[in-house]
Amino acid sequence: MRQLACDVLVVGAGGAALRAAIAAHDTDPQLRVQIVTRGKLGKSGVTATACSDRMAFHATLPYTLPGGDDNWRYHAADIYRLGGCVSDPKLAEILAKNSGRAAQELQRWGVPFTLDSAGRLAQFITDGSDYPRACYTGPYTANHISQALCAKVRELALPVLEEHYVFQLAVSGGRVVGVWALPEGLPGTEDPARHLVFLGARSVVLATGGAGGIYGHNVFPPGAVGDGYAMALAAGASVVNIEFLQIALCSPKTSLACSGSIMRAMPRFVNDKGEELALPGSWPELVFDKGASWPLSYENPTHKIDLLVARELEAGGKVYLDFSANPRNFAWESLPQRLVSLYKAERRQDLGQERKFSPLARLREINQPVVQWLAERGVRLEAGERLEIHPSVQHFQGGVWIDAGAETKLPGLFAAGEAAGGQHGANRPGGNALMDAQVFGRIAGERAAQVPFRLDRNHPQEPKLQKDRGTAAGEILTHVRGLMDRYAAVIRWPEGLKVAAQELEELAKLEPVPARESWDRVLEAKAAVLVARAVVKAQALRKESRGPHLYFTEADGEAMPTDPEYQRSVCLSGPALNASWIKWRKPKEDEK
Ligand SMILES: Cc1cc2nc3c(=O)[nH]c(=O)nc-3n(C[C@H](O)[C@H](O)[C@H](O)COP(=O)(O)OP(=O)(O)OC[C@H]3O[C@@H](n4cnc5c(N)ncnc54)[C@H](O)[C@@H]3O)c2cc1C
């Protein structure tokens, strides 16, 4: 067994992890701050790899509207309100208060944010916010953030153990004392006991990102199954709000989020037989507005589109956006004035009368680059090809429950970024995830660096991994993803969730083993089963609709309304997923 020791151990190398490592070093440059990650620095995780038509970083800067010293309060109020009042209001305030600093820090470190004519960071309005706060560099904002943070980590010469899969927290005397890892890609034929790595630390920051990979339909990088949630639960910590995931219409072939201009071009929704889907009555407003309210949310009537698509898929069909011809009964002249004005504000070129005749002309008029972008990825709209769409998981709003110091319920364990929970509620304003990773990444690093040194002579027990007798890990993963897509995505109902829970309990009894696979698949399968059980359990406990959680009495019935009784959060603790409810308390003025 190989052993390494450090003061602060940061697990992951995404936006939250790198910010935490930098902060730990800045807090005390004498400390040994170690990063350990799957994949390579700057190449793994969502921050380094994701893109969309315009990625947002939400921030309240000194000049952000509505202006004034306390403009962060409007931001905090938006987070809490849009979150369905089921997040920790204290954490919302910390996010809002620190967001401007985070954006300015990133700009200083080299993120090329777009500037306005006055040389200030340009900002636009995203879903769920009343004021323009979203800063951006373009489609690759997250990647630019990752590059700037990687450069800083290299400048500080912080050690990075790459291509290592952390799979278990080591706990001794009731606190975290390190983690267990295996080299990534270890062939299934190898005995894992001979390759175990123990990384001892006085504090550990979990920044392992979200768990999109427990669903078949997701836009996360491969392997993102929520190891952080699983490790924290297995060690006795708690997760909160884990039923709230951002789900939205994406292109499975290209992972493009079909928001903004894609919907504002008002395409036809067709099935694989070429039949146009009957869009709900308030068409075309609903489709147009979907452009600005992309994630599925019960509070927004545009969720009827997600539902329509989900039901068509459920019936065994496929759904495409067709830009070659106008939808049935479409007439440019009959569009409400509000839509025409909004459309005109988006125009980047003038195609005159052409815009009346096809969604493709409208898309070219408001976002020609996306037509090119899709063509480069094999969807040639100009040749009449259709864009397949599917509701896909993009973000976990919940995670390992943290307090204002980013500390979890387990002493010595901190969490930040998408691995952490409590800071977002049911929904989040667009751009708040990248910002959250910077704000709580910094706080987690600072606090982890202040944990006092304790000598622990107890050596944690080595984990045991079964090699031979069991079920192929890949089979278990496929089964989990099938269950989650079928029962725990857009449409959630008691019978479906019961089936999912029972089957997941059976999967939990199986021992995943590598069958012509590497040990990575075994570790992913173990984590995926526990995380999926937690998500399904939390979904079943919330018997109302709120944010992306649409809860139906029957699969083909009506979504249940929001119930004020459920203005509280589901908390699941330990490997047994013991459930409790948290009722949040808004801080009094003098506590802020
Ligand atoms: C397509 C897409 C578009 C998005 N657009 C936006 C947007 O416009 N605005 C916004 O605010 N948010 C957006 N998000 C969400 C946002 O990008 C993420 O929430 C954020 O980047 C997550 O950062 P993170 O540091 O928490 O995790 P990640 O960047 O995912 O990093 C996780 C790290 O942990 C490592 N890791 C995972 N498991 C292990 C393990 N077991 N052992 C060791 N290492 C491990 C990974 O390799 C990786 O380095 C988008 C997400 C997607 C997928």
Side-chain angles (χ1 to χ4, degrees), residues 107-170:
Q107 190 187 24
R108 259 201 327 278
W109 294 345
V111 174
F113 283 120
T114 301
L115 305 179
D116 65 14
S117 54
R120 307 187 303 195
L121 299 197
Q123 294 182 290
F124 66 97
I125 296 188
T126 54
D127 32 287
S129 55
D130 286 340
Y131 299 100
R133 300 193 193 99
C135 311
Y136 61 100
T137 68
Y140 304 109
T141 310
N143 312 165
H144 289 141
I145 292 173
S146 167
Q147 286 154 18
L149 294 170
C150 285
K152 190 84 190 150
V153 162
R154 289 191 183 107
E155 180 192 312
L156 299 174
L158 300 180
V160 184
L161 181 62
E162 295 177 320
E163 297 180 315
H164 274 70
Y165 193 134
V166 176
F167 65 94
Q168 190 169 309
L169 296 171

Side-chain angles (χ1 to χ4, degrees), residues 262-553:
I262 297 280
M263 292 298 167
R264 287 186 174 142
M266 292 170 278
R268 295 169 74 217
F269 283 65
V270 296
N271 63 19
D272 41 355
K273 297 184 207 100
E275 297 159 348
E276 193 169 330
L277 303 189
L279 289 165
S282 42
W283 155 257
E285 281 95 328
L286 219 48
V287 174
F288 192 90
D289 289 342
K290 188 80 184 142
S293 56
W294 173 69
L296 161 72
S297 177
Y298 177 71
E299 291 75 19
N300 198 313
T302 59
H303 75 252
K304 292 181 191 155
I305 297 178
D306 304 88
L307 210 49
L308 181 77
V309 172
R311 294 219 196 275
E312 185 71 23
L313 295 168
E314 184 55 37
K318 289 189 174 196
V319 181
Y320 300 84
L321 297 180
D322 176 13
F323 291 83
S324 65
N326 274 333
R328 210 173 25 237
N329 301 331
F330 178 91
W332 177 266
E333 291 72 19
S334 323
L335 285 183
Q337 200 44 49
R338 178 182 74 87
L339 264 49
V340 175
S341 309
L342 287 168
Y343 177 89
K344 283 191 175 155
E346 298 266 329
R347 253 180 9 198
R348 298 192 197 163
Q349 57 173 326
D350 190 348
L351 294 185
Q353 294 295 315
E354 227 190 297
R355 80 178 65 95
K356 296 183 178 176
F357 304 121
S358 78
L360 179 62
R362 293 191 285 277
L363 187 59
R364 284 176 42 228
E365 195 168 47
I366 57 179
N367 194 358
Q368 172 68 37
V370 82
V371 179
Q372 180 64 27
W373 190 94
L374 284 168
E376 283 161 12
R377 285 155 185 82
V379 186
R380 294 169 307 136
L381 300 183
E382 286 179 310
E385 287 179 0
R386 293 163 174 174
L387 182 65
E388 187 182 349
I389 53 169
H390 204 294
S392 309
V393 176
Q394 190 196 243
H395 179 258
F396 270 62
Q397 340 267 33
V400 184
W401 189 11
I402 55 165
D403 64 15
E407 193 159 12
T408 71
K409 298 284 152 202
L410 193 59
L413 182 67
F414 297 78
E418 212 168 318
Q423 70 280 39
H424 309 293
N427 290 313
R428 63 169 172 85
N432 249 42
L434 287 173
M435 180 270 277
D436 157 39
Q438 293 309 295
V439 170
F440 278 106
R442 176 178 60 77
I443 294 172
E446 286 172 359
R447 295 298 179 97
Q450 292 163 23
V451 169
F453 178 73
R454 274 169 233 224
L455 192 61
D456 195 327
R457 294 191 187 285
N458 295 325
H459 197 281
Q461 236 189 345
E462 273 188 32
K464 296 231 177 317
L465 289 165
Q466 170 69 255
K467 180 164 170 292
D468 299 316
R469 278 189 308 279
T471 309
E475 241 174 69
I476 295 180
L477 276 167
T478 306
H479 198 152
V480 170
R481 290 177 182 140
L483 288 171
M484 298 306 281
D485 282 348
R486 169 86 179 79
Y487 299 112
V490 175
I491 301 166
R492 305 165 184 184
W493 75 106
E495 254 330 288
L497 290 168
K498 197 167 150 196
V499 172
Q502 282 166 348
E503 293 204 24
L504 286 166
E505 287 315 312
E506 292 307 311
L507 289 177
K509 291 179 195 153
L510 303 177
E511 189 62 48
V513 293
R516 292 188 302 279
E517 301 143 326
S518 74
W519 279 96
D520 301 350
R521 294 294 91 72
V522 175
L523 305 179
E524 285 169 6
K526 278 176 181 277
V529 171
L530 181 53
V531 176
R533 283 173 55 219
V535 171
V536 166
K537 180 158 185 176
Q539 290 183 354
L541 286 168
R542 184 169 288 284
K543 299 179 195 310
E544 59 143 11
S545 298
R546 189 181 296 260
H549 179 67
L550 264 53
Y551 191 81
F552 297 78
T553 42

Side-chain angles (χ1 to χ4, degrees), residues 11-17 36-39 44-48 50-52 54-57 142 164-167 207-210 219-220 227 231 255 394-395 416-419 428 430-435 437:
V11 186
V36 54
T37 186
R38 291 193 72 178
S44 74
V46 171
T47 320
C51 78
S52 67
R54 188 163 58 165
M55 276 189 111
F57 185 96
H164 274 70
Y165 193 134
V166 176
F167 65 94
T208 42
V219 288
F220 281 67
D227 292 302
M231 285 189 272
S255 289
Q394 190 196 243
H395 179 258
E418 212 168 318
R428 63 169 172 85
N432 249 42
L434 287 173
M435 180 270 277

